[in-house]
Amino acid sequence: MSPSDNDVAISDSTPQDDAAEPVYRDFVVSDAAAGQRIDLFLTSACDGYSRSQIRQAVQEDGAEVDGRTVRPSFRIKAGQSIRFRLPEAFSDEVIPENIPLDLLYEDDGFVVVNKPPGMVVHPARGNWQGTLTSALAHRFQSLSDVGGPTRPGIVHRLDRDTSGVIVVAKTNAVHMALAQQWHDREVEKEYFAITVGRLDRDRDVVDAPIGRHPYQRDKMAIRENHPTTKPASTFYEVIERIGRYSLVRVRPKTGRTHQIRVHLAHLGCPILCDRLYAGHAVATESWLRGQGSIDGSRQVLDRQALHARRLTLCHPQSGESMTFEAPLPDDIERTIQVIRQRDHR
């Protein structure tokens, strides 16, 4: 049943002096609306938004029930109070932009891109332009639409500041076949990371469940017995230890949000320049060399030192096993050089 004026009490909280501020809508659930999933309820209650927009907003901690953040599948009860942050208005149409792409592979079914750091994969709150999907829309005539209008061709994703290999489907059939490989954990992913801290073991597997951070909405955390918690497993191997840093090969067995970043931080060795989990977002020459603070010398790195280096999958059409590799980007190479100079001083 769709909410109506008789189903809920509704009020808007819209700042009058700053249009950029988020807009909230408040509801009180009636008997008639009880039992619905909150994403379906809000889709019916909030005109002008698609279900995918509403679901994404809820997934990003945009909905609270009686003061508690909930997930899209949460089922509401009569008498509960809902506070919902309305999604930022945007068009479902991806606007093509002439942004250069580094293609590692292309055929009739899919392409493989070496994504640069700083590029958001698909449009989201605060990031409507300069995305990978905008670049893809300009470069290719047709991409799969399985993921919806704002994610043409996107089979999987990388964090904005993670560089490296990402796969994009041209057709729906190939998209679904590739997505099944991800679902069945048949895709082998290898990342390169620089950690702050020397990992004690040469190699190990981290098995620790990951869920939403209890206080910071943009972070994940090692968390047991919570509605957002999912099992997570990461294999790592130390390539080299240089002073207080470790160069690490990482193979995630699952694909949770921020998984590698959370697991390495859990070991006491967060990824260098990881704003969320390492407590710093930039590294200068003097700081990397142990000669001073982060301020005061040439900046070397301004994003997390994490790179999706290699990916192996089964070609959806030929059945051939294929491996794609993206070389280490210049900023990470420079960082390694500075660290080595420090170690040899």
Side-chain angles (χ1 to χ4, degrees):
M1 180 181 297
S2 299
S4 67
D5 292 340
N6 294 324
D7 292 331
V8 291
I10 305 172
S11 65
D12 284 332
S13 175
T14 309
Q16 301 299 312
D17 57 348
D18 189 352
E21 289 294 319
V23 177
Y24 292 89
R25 183 164 290 181
D26 296 313
F27 305 89
V28 177
V29 182
S30 71
D31 292 338
Q36 293 186 37
R37 284 173 52 115
I38 192 167
D39 58 345
L40 295 176
F41 169 82
L42 291 171
T43 300
S44 298
C46 301
D47 294 335
Y49 298 97
S50 68
R51 182 182 176 186
S52 62
Q53 288 174 273
I54 295 292
R55 178 180 171 80
Q56 183 66 24
V58 177
Q59 189 66 37
E60 294 175 350
D61 296 344
E64 294 182 357
V65 176
D66 292 339
R68 181 169 67 92
T69 302
V70 297
R71 300 296 99 200
S73 60
F74 180 85
R75 293 192 179 274
I76 56 179
K77 299 178 181 179
Q80 289 181 322
S81 296
I82 299 174
R83 184 169 177 80
F84 178 55
R85 183 183 65 238
L86 291 174
E88 188 175 336
F90 74 100
S91 170
D92 277 348
E93 181 181 359
V94 173
I95 300 175
E97 296 181 66
N98 187 9
I99 303 171
L101 289 172
D102 180 9
L103 296 188
L104 301 174
Y105 175 83
E106 179 182 5
D107 66 17
D108 293 338
F110 67 98
V111 297
V112 182
V113 179
N114 180 14
K115 186 186 86 66
M119 175 180 275
V120 175
V121 171
H122 54 76
R125 178 179 291 274
N127 295 286
W128 306 125
Q129 297 180 323
T131 65
L132 176 61
T133 54
S134 293
L136 291 166
H138 180 272
R139 180 69 178 265
F140 300 103
Q141 293 296 316
S142 180
L143 295 167
S144 78
D145 59 8
V146 171
T150 63
R151 305 186 185 194
I154 302 301
V155 179
H156 64 119
R157 62 181 296 275
L158 296 174
D159 293 337
R160 178 185 64 187
D161 289 331
T162 299
S163 54
V165 182
I166 187 168
V167 179
V168 179
K170 289 184 175 181
T171 70
N172 286 356
V174 167
H175 190 137
M176 289 186 288
L178 290 170
Q180 190 64 46
Q181 290 186 49
W182 256 270
H183 178 270
D184 295 340
R185 300 180 185 174
E186 296 173 348
V187 178
E188 297 179 12
K189 298 164 287 183
E190 180 182 306
Y191 291 74
F192 175 89
I194 305 174
T195 69
V196 182
R198 294 171 65 92
L199 287 157
D200 293 336
R201 300 185 179 183
D202 290 341
R203 60 186 61 82
D204 200 4
V205 175
V206 183
D207 283 309
I210 293 176
R212 290 282 177 184
H213 193 281
Y215 310 115
Q216 295 174 264
R217 61 174 299 273
D218 55 348
K219 291 183 68 172
M220 307 298 287
I222 303 300
R223 200 168 187 190
E224 300 272 3
N225 302 321
H226 187 266
T228 64
T229 296
K230 295 181 180 179
S233 180
T234 304
F235 169 83
Y236 73 86
E237 182 176 24
V238 176
I239 300 170
E240 185 178 359
R241 297 180 180 88
I242 308 174
R244 64 172 179 152
Y245 304 99
S246 298
L247 310 187
V248 190
R249 179 183 298 112
V250 188
R251 296 191 182 100
K253 297 183 178 181
T254 51
R256 311 308 178 202
T257 301
H258 299 178
Q259 177 175 318
I260 295 173
R261 300 163 64 188
V262 172
H263 276 174
L264 289 175
H266 177 63
L267 296 177
C269 296
I271 294 174
L272 178 67
C273 289
D274 190 330
R275 176 182 61 85
L276 286 178
Y277 302 102
H280 63 276
V282 298
T284 62
E285 282 188 357
S286 61
W287 185 79
L288 286 170
R289 292 172 177 166
Q291 298 171 343
S293 67
I294 289 179
D295 299 324
S297 67
R298 183 172 70 95
Q299 182 174 293
V300 179
L301 189 68
D302 63 356
R303 55 95 173 194
Q304 62 213 25
L306 183 63
H307 177 67
R309 191 171 194 171
R310 187 177 293 112
L311 186 146
T312 299
L313 53 76
C314 181
H315 193 287
Q317 294 158 311
S318 70
E320 177 188 1
S321 177
M322 303 185 72
T323 297
F324 308 99
E325 183 167 353
L328 290 181
D330 291 343
D331 58 352
I332 289 183
E333 289 280 17
R334 286 195 304 270
T335 301
I336 295 172
Q337 291 174 6
V338 172
I339 291 172
R340 290 192 191 284
Q341 290 169 2
R342 173 195 187 278
D343 194 50
H344 290 127
R345 290 179 68 87

